[in-house]
Amino acid sequence: MVQIIRRRYILGFILATIMLIAGLFLWVNLVNAQVTYTLTVNAASDGTGGAGDCELRDAIIAINTGTNVDGCTFAGVPDIDGTAPDDDFVINFDTSIVGPLGPAPTITLTSPLPAITSTVVLNGNAAGGTNVTVQGPGGGTGFNFTTVGDPATTPNAAGSSIDNFTITGFERAIQVNDIPNVSIGTTTRNEIISNGRGIVLLGDDTDNTTIQNNFIGVDDSNTILANLVDGIFVGDTVTNTTISNNTISSNGRHGIFAQNVDGLTIQNNIIGLPSTLTLVNRGNAGSGVFVNIGQNVNISNNTVGYNGGFGVFVNAAPDTTIDSNNIGSLANVTDNVGNGNAGVYVSNSNGTSITNSFINFNGGQGVAVVGSQGVDINVQSIFGNGSIGIDMDANGVSGIGGTFSNGGLNYMNLLAASTDGANIQFNGTFTAPAGNYELVVFYNDTGQCDPSGFGEGQNRIGTVGITPGTVSLNIGAGGANVGDFLSVYTRQIGVADPAASEFSRCIEITDSNLEALFLPTGALTINQGQTIFLDNISTGLIDNVEWTVTGPTGTFTVNTYDFLQNFTVPGTYTISLEVFSGANSDVSDLNLILTVLAPTAIPPTPIPPTPVPVTPVPATDVPPVDTSTPTLTVIASSTSTSTTVPTNTAIPTNTALPTNTLIPTSTRTDVPTRTPIPTSTTVPTSTTAPTNTAVPTSTLVPTDTETAIPTITTTPDVDVTKTSDGDDEMNLSIVNVGESPVSNVVIQELLRENVEFRSVLADGVTCVEVGGLVSCQIGDLDAGDVATLDFSLQTNGADPASGQTSVIVDGSPIEIVDEPFISKVGNPPIAEPGSQIVYTIRVINPTDETAIGVTVTDEMPEVIQILSGSATAGTVTIAGQDVTLKLAELGPGERVTLTLITRVRDDEIFEQIINVACLNSSSNASPRCAQMAFLAVGELPLTGQVSWAMRMMRWAGVLTLVSIMFAGIFTLQRRLKKPRE
């Protein structure tokens, strides 16, 4: 009994303890529960509302401060703490001004809205009616979600969302700055139209932003209402951004511009087209997606078309994933919505993968790979592009055995292909190191082969494994017929970062029956020294070819696929063809009977004696010529043609494409390997100076070490603005934006086709037009001077300002600078050990738009000791040898100077001091860099120190002077003592 009582007490104690703990848990959560406060905007005015009116501006002030403002009251909650991080707010709009039956209000602001520093849900359509329109004052920021301090400890707008607004008339419609977890559009959407920039994300602490279901640059009826710059800008070390299910079209620069990001997902967006995916051009003026410096980037399931630049551009963003996109065509593959430049351009981005995508009809290459390795390409279609389908180093066909991007992986050298209707057999040679490879196999419709002779991929058949060597392969026909063209490219597989090759030469698919055929046949007569071309149109899987030529000098054979031969010996020749397929062969039934005629004798042309020129002797004075001997000399001897190619020896060539057309062109062998274009590695111009001279260079050489896009090669001093009326008038304004005069300025305008020159109106300027190139001599321009040229042109619907403008200053061409840049100089011009050097870096914005997120980085070499750094604006950070300048904004025409005080270490041995400073900003398509180089002067003594030789020379001079002085005194003394005569 006692034991039972004890057990009951124990169980009761346990239950009581559990209930106490549960009660404490509930009490703690109730005390610390997140509280949501709701305000309702009931007036569409701004600053003019009466008593009881809650305006949007007042509602934002109220949630920021946690206090009632005018008609915006927190009814029934008298003691709130609006600054507590765990309090949330909702701003709705009254159904009297927003609702299914109500009007669509427009709130016209007289000044930008206050920044939002508390968590808020902004809903411009709570009643399910039409979006609220917020009309900006023509500048500033519309909705700015930010913080007033450290987001971890102070109130901020983290976790906010904004839906159902039409936002227009701001420099930035929506900005998220240094806070996480903001949603712009959810299941409903915003219209972000007619602003400077659409959405801007900035700041290290901006994390997990979601942008979805918005119309950016067009409204929901797909009317063009462009934002003047980028639709979306993500930069300044923003992390983990998701951009999905938006229509981003018609913007003035890039649809999406991301710079210096970590974790960016761009998926299921329509970029450059209407939301209905109809064939209506709504392209962004720049690229669809432009990523410059990033990691963990994923671009998938987007439709990107009609954009003026690249479809997708990726620079310095390794391991980017580009998957399942339609770039340049719609999903049906046949609808052409091509972008103006390459479909995909990958620069300095190792490990990038381009998979499952349709990349068609773009103005440049399908895919261009520059300065990148391990780029995998495994696409569904890549066809109809303005250049070759896959281009390593963006310089045309690279050939076999060259050194080029993506590991120099060779394509297969296709020799022949045939089909029996069910399968395609093809063969060729493949040169590569031992490893695992596969071919991605396509067929193109009859007559559809790239003009270069190297194919693209219209219809994917599939993949087949391949090993290095001479190979014969079989694959299902996949819809291909006789007369279609086969093309393949190679993939390396089974490695961490597989690479891909360019496309092979495309070849016609023939009937599987082995038959030797060529054109022309029958009889043909040519003159001595002419070349003939015979087109091999044989069918079957051909693995060897032998042309037999029998003539006056005997018999010889030629083993190229097509026949191209020069005949220098007169006579009659019979040419036949035999083709081989394994152990089988076939000889042509129809041959060519070729007659080579000897030239008719003609009198020689009188040749004046040399070296003294004389008048040629008239023809009547020429002695008679022995007409029995031809006067034309045969270039090759009669025996040379019979041994030009050893009999039965195959010449390894790239089989020419059978076209059934007699075109005496080149042998159509493989395009010679091109030497890769050197990257823009900076070479100091002072390397010709002697190493030990005391005159180091300080030549400014801006370069671009991060991207293959060309950059300026001289200090930019001249800016050119070009405008037109879209009809027949064009204006050029030339401004010297430098700090010193420029001489001999020449403007050259290469007019677009269908644009004709009429005249130029300009004071004291002479212009000359030759073949569509207009050259205008501007002359000299002092700092700040402006010259204006008014062109009158005749057009045929083309924009008169669509031509190419070049600027030449004092004989040197320079690029027109349309984005912020830097210059860098060092003083004094002597880099002696122990001496002090002052580096001056100028940051200049020559444009008429504000650049945001400006960052200048400069990594000093170890020989330089950094003493201090300062700037006229922004924040300077020095960490070891790294110097960083950050500017939130750089206004139009604004300049900022960064000054670094440094010392050359006297305990280091060096030959040269080189360092490069680079600039990135929202306005820069790629980094702008400037270099400073000094030569060493280690052989010179330190400042104030005199060498032993100089010391000896000085003492010798002193002794000489003292000797002369004593000699003079002695002579004078003797003369004074000498008695007068």
Side-chain angles (χ1 to χ4, degrees):
M1 186 70 176
V2 173
Q3 290 179 348
I4 294 173
I5 294 173
R6 287 178 178 174
R7 289 175 182 172
R8 289 177 178 175
Y9 274 116
I10 293 171
L11 289 172
F13 177 77
I14 292 173
L15 289 173
T17 303
I18 292 173
M19 292 178 66
L20 177 62
I21 293 172
L24 288 172
F25 178 79
L26 291 172
W27 180 80
V28 168
N29 279 274
L30 287 172
V31 169
N32 292 280
Q34 187 177 35
V35 181
T36 300
Y37 304 96
T38 300
L39 291 176
T40 301
V41 175
N42 58 16
S45 55
D46 183 40
T48 59
D53 286 344
C54 181
E55 299 175 336
L56 176 59
R57 183 183 303 277
D58 295 334
I60 293 174
I61 294 173
I63 66 169
N64 286 340
T65 60
T67 60
N68 298 330
V69 177
D70 294 335
C72 300
T73 59
F74 300 98
V77 189
D79 298 318
I80 73 167
D81 179 9
T83 63
D86 56 359
D87 289 338
D88 287 348
F89 299 91
V90 175
I91 296 180
N92 285 332
F93 288 75
D94 191 272
T95 55
S96 64
I97 63 169
V98 179
L101 303 179
T106 296
I107 300 175
T108 303
L109 301 177
T110 57
S111 61
L113 291 169
I116 299 171
T117 56
S118 290
T119 302
V120 62
V121 174
L122 277 159
N123 190 346
N125 188 3
T130 309
N131 284 7
V132 170
T133 297
V134 179
Q135 174 68 52
T141 302
F143 293 90
N144 184 12
F145 299 91
T146 187
T147 180
V148 294
D150 184 349
T153 58
T154 56
N156 59 76
S160 295
S161 66
I162 179 169
D163 298 279
N164 296 309
F165 283 90
T166 297
I167 307 169
T168 183
F170 295 94
E171 183 178 347
R172 303 176 193 86
I174 298 176
Q175 178 170 290
V176 180
N177 188 13
D178 264 334
I179 57 168
N181 304 317
V182 172
S183 296
I184 302 172
T186 54
T187 56
T188 54
R189 82 298 184 260
N190 301 288
E191 292 177 349
I192 301 169
I193 53 179
S194 300
N195 301 281
R197 287 176 171 85
I199 298 173
V200 176
L201 309 184
L202 298 172
D204 296 349
D205 292 310
T206 295
D207 183 36
N208 290 320
T209 305
T210 301
I211 303 171
Q212 59 183 349
N213 296 312
N214 300 284
F215 287 86
I216 303 172
V218 292
D219 62 11
D220 59 2
S221 64
N222 294 302
T223 302
I224 298 175
L225 295 164
N227 299 293
L228 297 179
V229 192
D230 305 310
I232 299 174
F233 173 75
V234 184
D236 194 19
T237 65
V238 171
T239 55
N240 300 318
T241 302
T242 300
I243 302 171
S244 64
N245 297 291
N246 303 280
T247 299
I248 309 168
S249 302
S250 300
N251 296 286
R253 192 166 63 174
H254 309 309
I256 300 172
F257 182 14
Q259 180 162 277
N260 197 15
V261 295
D262 183 358
L264 173 65
T265 299
I266 301 171
Q267 62 186 12
N268 299 312
N269 300 282
I270 298 170
I271 305 173
L273 296 102
S275 60
T276 54
L277 288 179
T278 52
L279 300 182
V280 178
N281 190 336
R282 292 292 182 265
N284 300 285
S287 298
V289 177
F290 196 103
V291 179
N292 182 40
I293 308 175
Q295 54 186 345
N296 300 313
V297 177
N298 186 313
I299 303 168
S300 58
N301 293 290
N302 303 282
T303 299
V304 185
Y306 285 134
N307 299 286
F310 304 99
V312 175
F313 177 94
V314 175
N315 175 61
D319 301 314
T320 293
T321 298
I322 303 171
D323 180 66
S324 300
N325 300 282
N326 296 319
I327 303 174
S329 66
L330 300 186
N332 61 13
V333 185
T334 60
D335 285 336
N336 182 346
V337 294
N339 300 284
N341 210 313
V344 178
Y345 193 104
V346 178
S347 170
N348 300 306
S349 299
N350 296 344
T352 293
S353 63
I354 306 166
T355 54
N356 301 312
S357 296
F358 297 86
I359 307 173
N360 305 311
F361 308 122
N362 299 287
Q365 304 91 343
V367 174
V369 178
V370 176
S372 306
Q373 308 300 327
V375 176
D376 186 21
I377 303 171
N378 192 9
V379 296
Q380 294 299 314
S381 177
I382 184 166
F383 179 75
N385 299 287
S387 185
I388 58 178
I390 301 173
D391 191 351
M392 300 302 164
D393 296 323
N395 60 355
V397 180
S398 297
I400 292 177
T403 301
F404 41 85
S405 291
N406 225 16
L409 180 60
N410 292 321
Y411 51 78
M412 179 183 182
N413 179 27
L414 284 176
L415 296 176
S418 65
T419 182
D420 58 6
N423 296 286
I424 296 176
Q425 289 183 308
F426 59 100
N427 59 18
T429 59
F430 174 54
T431 304
N436 296 318
Y437 303 92
E438 72 176 13
L439 292 179
V440 185
V441 184
F442 298 83
Y443 76 88
N444 304 321
D445 292 341
T446 300
Q448 297 294 322
C449 179
D450 187 85
S452 69
F454 286 76
E456 295 186 83
Q458 183 180 18
N459 306 293
R460 179 171 171 137
I461 297 175
T463 61
V464 59
I466 185 174
T467 56
T470 301
V471 291
S472 180
L473 300 169
N474 187 79
I475 192 171
N481 298 304
V482 172
D484 291 339
F485 284 86
L486 190 75
S487 59
V488 301
Y489 68 84
T490 313
R491 290 181 65 227
Q492 184 183 20
I493 57 176
V495 294
D497 290 322
S501 74
E502 296 180 343
F503 269 97
S504 69
R505 184 178 54 81
C506 55
I507 60 172
E508 187 175 358
I509 302 172
T510 68
D511 188 275
S512 59
N513 295 321
L514 185 65
E515 185 176 6
L517 299 169
F518 67 92
L519 291 173
T521 58
L524 180 66
T525 300
I526 64 172
N527 292 322
Q528 179 183 353
Q530 285 188 318
T531 297
I532 69 164
F533 171 82
L534 303 181
D535 189 3
N536 186 346
I537 58 171
S538 303
T539 64
L541 186 63
I542 300 167
D543 53 31
N544 200 4
V545 172
E546 184 171 280
W547 301 86
T548 301
V549 183
T550 302
T553 60
T555 299
F556 65 93
T557 58
V558 176
N559 297 99
T560 57
Y561 190 84
D562 292 323
F563 184 90
L564 185 72
Q565 191 75 20
N566 180 267
F567 287 84
T568 59
V569 178
T572 300
Y573 298 81
T574 300
I575 303 175
S576 63
L577 170 65
E578 185 174 10
V579 293
F580 301 86
S581 178
N584 300 320
S585 67
D586 184 66
V587 179
S588 57
D589 295 327
L590 300 176
N591 299 324
L592 177 67
I593 307 301
L594 177 67
T595 301
V596 180
L597 299 177
T600 303
I602 58 174
T605 303
I607 301 176
T610 55
V612 179
V614 296
T615 304
V617 179
T620 55
D621 296 332
V622 177
V625 177
D626 184 1
T627 57
S628 63
T629 303
T631 56
L632 281 181
T633 303
V634 179
I635 296 174
S637 68
S638 60
T639 57
S640 63
T641 56
S642 62
T643 56
T644 52
V645 180
T647 303
N648 297 326
T649 301
I651 300 177
T653 62
N654 286 326
T655 307
L657 173 69
T659 60
N660 299 329
T661 304
L662 177 58
I663 303 175
T665 59
S666 63
T667 57
R668 293 194 275 180
T669 57
D670 209 0
V671 175
T673 303
R674 301 188 181 187
T675 303
I677 297 174
T679 58
S680 52
T681 305
T682 307
V683 179
T685 57
S686 61
T687 53
T688 56
T691 303
N692 296 326
T693 60
V695 186
T697 65
S698 58
T699 304
L700 178 82
V701 185
T703 185
D704 187 348
T705 59
E706 297 295 334
T707 179
I709 299 177
T711 57
I712 53 176
T713 56
T714 61
T715 305
D717 292 315
V718 177
D719 186 25
V720 176
T721 302
K722 181 162 61 170
T723 59
S724 74
D725 63 356
D727 188 10
D728 56 5
E729 299 288 339
M730 179 178 68
N731 175 271
L732 287 178
S733 293
I734 303 95
V735 185
N736 179 5
V737 297
E739 298 178 351
S740 58
V742 292
S743 303
N744 302 321
V745 179
V746 177
I747 297 293
Q748 291 186 335
E749 179 72 15
L750 181 60
L751 300 176
R752 185 178 174 181
E753 187 178 0
N754 296 325
V755 177
E756 297 180 5
F757 174 76
R758 289 293 181 265
S759 64
V760 171
L761 179 63
D763 293 336
V765 175
T766 302
C767 295
V768 177
E769 187 264 346
V770 177
L773 179 64
V774 184
S775 298
C776 298
Q777 303 285 339
I778 305 298
D780 299 340
L781 291 176
D782 289 333
D785 279 0
V786 181
T788 302
L789 305 178
D790 293 317
F791 283 75
S792 177
L793 305 165
Q794 178 68 42
T795 69
N796 185 20
D799 183 359
S802 59
Q804 180 179 348
T805 306
S806 300
V807 184
I808 299 173
V809 176
D810 208 11
S812 299
I814 68 171
E815 178 184 340
I816 300 172
V817 179
D818 56 359
E819 60 187 27
F821 64 91
I822 59 175
S823 67
K824 182 175 183 179
V825 295
N827 283 300
I830 298 177
E832 301 177 10
S835 65
Q836 188 179 92
I837 295 178
V838 178
Y839 287 93
T840 303
I841 301 173
R842 292 183 175 87
V843 186
I844 304 168
N845 181 8
T847 71
D848 56 0
E849 296 178 354
T850 299
I852 58 178
V854 178
T855 302
V856 176
T857 56
D858 194 348
E859 182 179 355
M860 289 288 178
E862 292 297 329
V863 73
I864 294 293
Q865 178 185 3
I866 305 172
L867 303 178
S868 65
S870 61
T872 56
T875 303
V876 179
T877 303
I878 300 174
Q881 296 299 108
D882 296 330
V883 180
T884 303
L885 168 64
K886 284 198 170 186
L887 297 162
E889 294 185 348
L890 187 65
E894 186 177 354
R895 298 180 176 216
V896 173
T897 300
L898 168 63
T899 304
L900 300 176
I901 310 298
T902 68
R903 174 182 171 273
V904 181
R905 301 182 189 274
D906 53 13
D907 57 351
E908 295 279 347
I909 299 175
F910 62 96
E911 296 181 354
Q912 208 167 43
I913 303 174
I914 300 175
N915 69 306
V916 177
C918 291
L919 175 147
N920 283 293
S921 82
S922 64
S923 302
N924 287 78
S926 59
R928 288 280 187 179
C929 300
Q931 173 182 285
M932 184 67 202
F934 288 100
L935 287 180
V937 289
E939 294 296 321
L940 291 177
L942 299 180
T943 304
Q945 183 179 357
V946 182
S947 66
W948 63 269
M950 182 62 71
R951 289 173 180 165
M952 299 220 21
M953 290 177 65
R954 288 182 179 178
W955 281 113
V958 171
L959 290 173
T960 301
L961 290 174
V962 170
S963 299
I964 294 172
M965 180 183 69
F966 277 111
I969 294 173
F970 178 74
T971 303
L972 179 61
Q973 183 181 20
R974 290 193 61 184
R975 287 188 176 183
L976 291 175
K977 289 183 177 181
K978 186 177 181 181
R980 296 179 182 272
E981 296 181 355

